[in-house]
Amino acid sequence: MNRLLGEIADAPAGPATGVYIDFDGTLLRGHSALAFCLNRIRHGEWPAEAWQAVTSASPARITADLLHARTGKENHAAARLGAAAAAHWHGRRTGELLALADRVFAEDIAPRIRREMWRLIRAHQERGHTVVIATAAATPQVEPAARALGVSDLLCTQVRSCEGRIDVREPSPLCAGPAKLEAVLAHAAEHGVRLADSFAYCDGYEDLPLLRNVGRPRVVDPRSALARVAHAEGLPVVRLAPSRPGPVGSLLATGAAAGAAAAALAASALVGTVTGDRRRAAAIALGRGSDLVLRSAGVQVTVTGASHVWERRPAVFVSNHSSPVDSLLLAHVLRGDWCALAKRELADVPGMGQFLRFVDCLFVDRDDQDQAAAVLSSALDRLRRGVSVVVQPEGTRARTPDLGPFRTGAFRLAARAAVPVVPVVIRNATDVMDRDGRLVRPGRVDVAVLPPLDTTGWQEEHIRRHTDRVREMFTQTLRCWPTG
């Protein structure tokens, strides 16, 4: 990754340097069409067009398509699916399709966007490069992701409409292979992009025409067909996909973690019963328990700046939030006497709700201002009694690799209690557990604890400014990860 970022830094700055990025398999882990089908099945909507695409081909044709798909060579399955989808949606309101696209992005596509590609795009944007998503996928599959990335230029298979309804009487050509190259050449000519200085990131065999016509081609995690050609022609190959265990490995890791969690909770409950000291029991459950669970699941945690955890306590610890495993990571790093603020919905989750109550978690109902004010008053009381408070100011797990907006409550709380704010930055958590995942995977997670921030003199009218400053510290830390 550092080499790729260096190559971007060395490329000419400005919009004349183009960046043409494939979507399915390159920017995205997997394929957006499959994400649409599975999402609709999960919501009880039978995707008739997928069934039509499958049943319209002979068993021999389907077998050939599957064999070609394994090598990464272009086949006719995507074209059949596109044609079937077009026929199914013809005449329906465009708003209906756009609403579906936004839902699928939020639930299924956003978690599949590769964090490494997201970082590369941000690096290109900082250099002022012209970033373009060039893909055979249809506009609704791509547009929500492009908006999230701040990419305004799309070269994709268009979905035509007339008077607010989808119109496929003249089907749009598939933006793939030579047609994609033609679209790129036209875009470059129109926008003054120098292809000799430009980048292309692709994973598909059908993208060879594009890769051969830019000065800086990058073949991303290719399958066998493209890998052979890339090796023969000397095209640079980039390996971004981290090795992940299969379903069996994830199930074993999750089972081990669940067993360790049960053992830790039982041990802490025994301590609480024997000693009558609930806070000591909670500390055992949070500290030793998190160590045991992470170790059992094969999760390695590398901590930078661990001394800042103890520099000034009590404190308000603030952390970014992208995965269910974040809470375990915080418990592993922070130790000592602390409590967390969590959304009210977690209190009703079987098992988790009881555990969070046991460790003295404070539940906030964000829709009830009076209740939220009462919880903040309880948190203030704990800080004054020497108990630190942990808050995730994004409020919910981020759907993309970018940080969500920070709420001001944690920073207002720290200022009122006259205690420091300590940023805790977590990286790679989704490598071991997806945003909405149920299974944990062995892997490595990095945590950076930044120096405490003195809140003395923070005025109420400036809390938003301080909040935004801390968020920028998170952004910079994630962008330039510390070592040591």
Side-chain angles (χ1 to χ4, degrees), residues 419-467:
V419 300
V421 168
V422 182
V424 182
V425 189
I426 300 173
R427 184 179 72 157
N428 302 346
T430 52
D431 284 357
V432 298
M433 195 171 191
D434 293 330
R435 181 193 183 277
D436 297 313
R438 297 292 183 268
L439 299 178
V440 64
R441 297 180 291 267
R444 171 181 164 173
V445 180
D446 299 317
V447 180
V449 185
L450 306 187
L453 303 173
D454 192 352
T455 62
T456 303
W458 283 17
Q459 301 298 318
E460 177 70 24
E461 60 268 26
H462 298 144
I463 289 296
R464 169 46 64 188
R465 186 183 68 193
H466 293 301
T467 301

Side-chain angles (χ1 to χ4, degrees), residues 78-411:
R80 283 202 310 276
L81 180 58
H88 177 78
W89 283 92
H90 179 71
R92 297 171 70 172
R93 295 191 179 277
T94 55
E96 185 181 352
L97 180 56
L98 295 177
L100 172 63
D102 287 338
R103 186 188 80 192
V104 176
F105 173 74
E107 295 180 2
D108 290 282
I109 290 181
R112 293 171 178 262
I113 296 177
R114 293 184 175 194
R115 185 181 61 253
E116 299 87 354
M117 289 302 302
W118 194 282
R119 189 177 177 190
L120 291 177
I121 289 173
R122 290 288 180 250
H124 281 295
Q125 290 171 331
E126 288 173 7
R127 296 284 291 163
H129 296 164
T130 299
V131 180
V132 184
I133 295 178
T135 175
T139 311
Q141 295 167 243
V142 186
E143 205 165 45
R147 284 201 308 270
L149 279 159
V151 174
S152 57
D153 290 2
L154 295 181
L155 302 177
C156 55
T157 303
Q158 297 295 314
V159 175
R160 294 180 174 141
S161 63
C162 180
E163 297 181 351
R165 294 186 181 274
I166 297 168
D167 185 352
V168 295
R169 285 172 293 185
E170 295 183 13
S172 299
L174 198 65
C175 185
K180 181 187 286 189
L181 174 60
E182 288 181 16
V184 167
L185 293 173
H187 175 274
E190 180 181 352
H191 293 84
V193 172
R194 295 189 300 267
L195 289 181
D197 292 329
S198 295
F199 294 77
Y201 297 92
C202 306
D203 77 302
Y205 183 85
E206 69 277 8
D207 286 322
L208 275 171
L210 172 58
L211 290 165
R212 288 165 172 159
N213 280 273
V214 297
R216 301 170 189 266
R218 299 294 180 266
V219 180
V220 180
D221 292 332
R223 282 172 286 176
S224 58
L226 180 57
R228 285 194 297 270
V229 177
H231 177 74
E233 298 186 8
L235 298 173
V237 175
V238 176
R239 298 288 180 183
L240 293 180
S243 58
R244 291 189 171 193
V248 174
S250 296
L251 285 170
L252 291 174
T254 303
L265 185 57
S268 59
L270 179 62
V271 171
T273 301
V274 172
T275 65
D277 188 344
R278 182 176 175 180
R279 295 215 64 85
R280 182 185 173 198
I284 292 174
L286 288 169
R288 300 294 185 187
S290 63
D291 296 348
L292 181 60
V293 171
L294 292 169
R295 191 177 303 118
S296 299
V299 176
Q300 299 176 334
V301 185
T302 301
V303 183
T304 303
S307 61
H308 298 315
V309 170
W310 302 103
E311 205 166 306
R312 292 180 60 186
R313 291 179 83 145
V316 174
F317 293 93
V318 293
S319 171
N320 55 317
H321 192 23
S322 61
S323 167
V325 82
D326 291 338
S327 299
L328 281 173
L329 297 169
L330 289 169
H332 171 76
V333 171
L334 299 183
R335 326 298 286 193
D337 201 3
W338 59 274
C339 69
L341 266 65
K343 58 186 179 182
R344 176 66 184 83
E345 296 89 328
L346 294 179
D348 300 324
V349 177
M352 179 180 290
Q354 290 86 337
F355 175 76
L356 292 175
R357 287 191 180 92
F358 177 76
V359 297
D360 201 27
C361 182
L362 296 172
F363 297 102
V364 182
D365 187 344
R366 291 170 292 183
D367 296 326
D368 187 336
Q369 294 299 319
D370 292 337
Q371 190 269 351
V375 170
L376 288 176
S377 178
S378 297
L380 185 61
D381 178 65
R382 282 165 169 74
L383 286 166
R384 288 170 175 163
R385 289 192 281 113
V387 179
S388 295
V389 175
V390 177
V391 185
Q392 292 165 320
E394 290 169 285
T396 189
R397 296 174 206 144
R399 292 197 176 276
T400 71
D402 279 344
L403 290 170
F406 276 18
R407 300 167 185 262
T408 59
F411 307 93

